[in-house]
Amino acid sequence: EQNYKDISWIAFGYDLFSFIILMGILIAIFRRFWIKVPQLRTNREDIAAIIFLAIVVVTGVFLESLRLLAESVSLETEKFSFLGSSLAGVLGFFDLNWKAIYFGFWYFHIFLAFAFIAFIPFGKFFMMLRILISGKKITPPLNDSMEILGKEECVLRIKNT
């Protein structure tokens, strides 16, 4: 039975999107901390969001490399998983129990992903959803607004923006 992550286009897609997100994070860091664009006001929420997202994506790539090592995945999959296989090539020089490391790191990555999801209501990501739903920055609690509008209207408003 083939793991869905071993399908070439899925392996490539995961790594491609991870690469795009990492490039976006690097651009955000460059604009906010290196050239300091005056229109970008950076506060602790922004820094936390950038760090959280970066850590989740980097640990995801690291997790894929551990999976490739632990499951002895075919060369066909490895060539499409360009980030994971590159890191697996470096880590493969060490003779370790990759299955145990993969298992433990998987839980660590999931914990980070859930922590990031728990952070969303306290950051600007939630504000983006609020504006998509209501069209305004200041509204009643988002849950109440969404309940009043209904699922269909909320989905329609998100799709139409």
Side-chain angles (χ1 to χ4, degrees), residues 111-124:
F111 171 77
L112 288 175
F114 280 128
F116 179 69
I117 291 168
F119 169 77
I120 290 173
F122 303 104
K124 289 185 180 178

Side-chain angles (χ1 to χ4, degrees), residues 54-113:
I55 291 172
V56 169
V57 173
V58 168
T59 59
V61 171
F62 192 73
L63 186 65
E64 174 64 5
S65 67
L66 292 175
R67 185 186 76 82
L68 293 172
L69 290 167
E71 296 179 0
S72 301
V73 176
S74 72
L75 184 59
E76 180 69 23
T77 299
E78 283 191 29
K79 73 180 180 184
F80 285 101
S81 182
F82 58 94
L83 293 176
S85 65
S86 299
L87 187 55
V90 172
L91 295 174
F93 288 111
F94 302 100
D95 186 27
L96 300 171
N97 183 354
W98 294 115
K99 285 187 180 191
I101 295 170
Y102 171 70
F103 183 73
F105 200 78
W106 186 87
Y107 282 107
F108 176 69
H109 176 69
I110 293 300
F111 171 77
L112 288 175

